[in-house]
Amino acid sequence: MAGATVVSDTDNPKPLDGRRIGGTIVPQAFGGTLAGPVRRDALDGALADTPPGVFPPVRLP
């Protein structure tokens, strides 16, 4: 599964710092405060019924 998240205001392209987003004022807007939580919530929901996968071991030289 792949995905991307972008949080922006295309109608008013100014920094999002200090703006109200989803009812909450965001003092500093960056990936970890906006896009990251949106992506986490989306993937948690999408993968809710999927068992954890097992990654094969990686051989290092």
Side-chain angles (χ1 to χ4, degrees):
M1 177 178 293
T5 305
V6 176
V7 178
S8 66
D9 185 347
T10 57
D11 294 329
N12 187 14
K14 294 181 182 176
L16 297 175
D17 293 349
R19 297 191 50 197
R20 184 177 304 277
I21 300 172
T24 302
I25 295 177
V26 179
Q28 289 185 305
F30 55 93
T33 59
L34 294 174
V38 170
R39 181 169 163 44
R40 179 201 59 222
D41 292 348
L43 288 176
D44 283 351
L47 299 173
D49 297 324
T50 304
V54 177
F55 291 98
V58 176
R59 293 185 60 186
L60 300 175

